[in-house]
Amino acid sequence: MLGKGKCAMKKYVILADVTCDLDERIREYFGVEDYIRGHAHINDGKSGIDLVTTLDWTETDRGEFYKKLSDKKYKITTSPANIEEYAAIFEKYVSEGYAVLSMSLSSKLSGTYDFSVVASRDVKEKYPDAEIYCFDAMRISAGFGLLVAYAHLLKKEGKSFEEVVAWLEENKQKVHQMGPIDDLITVARRGRLTMGKAIMGSFAGVKPMGDCNSEGYVTVLTKAKGIRKAFDITVEYIRQTATAPEENYCIVSNTDREQYAETLKEMIEKEIGFKKVFAVNCSSGNAVNIGPGMIGVYYMGEEITDLEKERAVINSITGK
């Protein structure tokens, strides 16, 4: 709350890019009013179509999209909003007197953050008094989305523009991820694993599991045999690494594994006791780069540095 004699806070808008994976239910819950769309291109070798990627799969049928993503005949690529598109939406709000908090996925994984920085400079040349802060989340998907959710929650609580920015910078390295990958064949097709290992791993029921490092990349910490074992490990890992779950939120995201995500959500609700747990479908822009088969849980824990503490936790759980 503002103390006596203090000026009214400036009005501001929070604009996250489409990779935050917050569906309509979560956006409504936290008060997310706007976000920045992206682009996708689908080519079957003969012709192509361009799509504007959204958070709610309004641009394409999700089932058909995953079929195409798994079909070698199709090539699907994505790109963020370009500099001109960023500048246009920034100018829209700046011209109405808003300060702008732009939130982007990890700069180590995409050029989105750099585009937003260049666009903010362009807008400031036209509006010298404009206040635009470009935030590098160092996370992707619902890990990034969790930070977006907290930013809007803080805004709803009356926190100032500066207070929200400070909280984000202080806490962005505290977002953890855990959960299995259930489709090694697609991972191999994208060049991240040999096809031989993928086939052998699939026959054996191997599910790689990892947490985010400080740059937003997922580092494999263990491999479980079977989805149920993977879920048990996930829940115990969260139990040992989550901070004050009763005061915090958790998001379970998936790529073409909706029922698994719902099952894991129910397990977490029963065993951990977060303030609220959401299950979401990964947006199309992220699904292209992640591939089908991801079931990831995102939540707040201690600050991540080199993942050595996290590796020790997972080893204690698995007995390795």
Side-chain angles (χ1 to χ4, degrees):
M1 296 179 64
L2 293 173
K4 292 182 178 180
K6 290 189 176 181
C7 297
M9 288 188 297
K10 68 171 76 78
K11 61 180 182 179
Y12 63 96
V13 64
I14 301 169
L15 297 171
D17 77 65
V18 71
T19 62
C20 66
D21 284 350
L22 300 183
D23 64 19
E24 186 176 11
R25 297 166 304 128
I26 304 180
R27 298 200 305 277
E28 182 177 351
Y29 184 92
F30 289 101
V32 180
E33 297 178 344
D34 201 358
Y35 65 94
I36 297 172
R37 279 68 173 170
H39 303 279
H41 181 77
I42 302 176
N43 193 299
D44 64 0
K46 299 178 181 179
S47 61
I49 59 171
D50 292 307
L51 305 172
V52 174
T53 54
T54 70
L55 287 169
D56 300 310
W57 287 91
T58 55
E59 66 274 23
T60 185
D61 178 79
R62 190 166 68 242
E64 288 300 316
F65 184 86
Y66 279 113
K67 287 181 182 178
K68 291 176 181 177
L69 192 61
S70 299
D71 188 336
K72 291 187 291 184
K73 180 178 72 174
Y74 290 92
K75 182 178 181 181
I76 306 178
T77 57
T78 61
S79 60
N82 60 39
I83 294 170
E84 290 75 19
E85 289 169 322
Y86 261 102
I89 195 167
F90 287 171
E91 184 172 352
K92 170 190 171 183
Y93 284 102
V94 166
S95 66
E96 296 173 0
Y98 287 87
V100 176
L101 169 53
S102 172
M103 300 182 66
S104 303
L105 79 160
S106 176
S107 60
K108 301 295 183 180
L109 303 174
S110 168
T112 307
Y113 171 74
D114 293 332
F115 287 177
S116 71
V117 170
V118 174
S120 70
R121 291 172 184 163
D122 291 346
V123 172
K124 288 176 183 178
E125 287 183 4
K126 187 174 181 179
Y127 298 88
D129 295 329
E131 188 167 3
I132 305 173
Y133 189 91
C134 297
F135 172 72
D136 182 354
M138 304 307 291
R139 293 293 182 274
I140 192 173
S141 186
F144 168 32
L146 193 61
L147 291 169
V148 176
Y150 276 112
H152 283 85
L153 181 62
L154 291 168
K155 183 184 178 185
K156 286 174 67 175
E157 292 176 350
K159 300 298 183 184
S160 69
F161 182 83
E162 292 79 9
E163 287 174 317
V164 174
V165 168
W167 187 93
L168 288 170
E169 292 292 358
E170 182 179 350
N171 288 277
K172 65 183 181 181
Q173 294 295 354
K174 297 178 182 178
V175 178
H176 288 251
Q177 172 183 336
M178 182 48 62
I181 292 291
D182 187 47
D183 185 343
L184 298 183
I185 301 299
T186 301
V187 173
R189 284 177 179 161
R190 299 184 65 81
R192 298 173 185 171
L193 182 70
T194 65
M195 186 58 73
K197 288 183 177 180
I199 293 171
M200 292 298 293
S202 296
F203 279 132
V206 173
K207 315 295 181 186
M209 306 174 65
D211 203 342
C212 301
N213 66 15
S214 60
E215 294 183 340
Y217 292 100
V218 178
T219 299
V220 174
L221 299 181
T222 193
K223 296 175 184 177
K225 286 192 175 182
I227 197 69
R228 180 65 198 202
K229 182 64 174 179
F231 285 178
D232 288 342
I233 292 172
T234 298
V235 171
E236 185 57 31
Y237 182 84
I238 296 169
R239 190 196 314 279
Q240 294 192 34
T241 56
T243 301
E246 69 281 357
E247 301 174 6
N248 284 297
Y249 296 92
C250 173
I251 302 177
V252 183
S253 181
N254 81 94
T255 53
D256 203 29
R257 293 296 187 276
E258 190 170 10
Q259 188 53 58
Y260 278 159
E262 288 293 338
T263 298
L264 186 52
K265 172 180 177 288
E266 293 172 4
M267 292 175 65
I268 293 168
E269 287 174 331
K270 179 180 178 181
E271 299 292 335
I272 307 297
F274 281 99
K275 189 171 184 177
K276 190 171 181 62
V277 183
F278 300 92
V280 300
N281 290 296
C282 194
S283 64
S284 57
N286 276 338
V288 171
N289 297 296
I290 295 172
M294 182 274 291
I295 310 105
V297 185
Y298 303 87
Y299 59 96
M300 302 298 293
E302 293 185 4
E303 184 171 345
I304 292 173
T305 53
D306 55 9
L307 287 178
E308 287 306 308
K309 289 187 295 184
E310 291 76 15
R311 195 179 301 278
V313 169
I314 206 81
N315 288 343
S316 71
I317 294 170
T318 60
K320 295 181 179 178

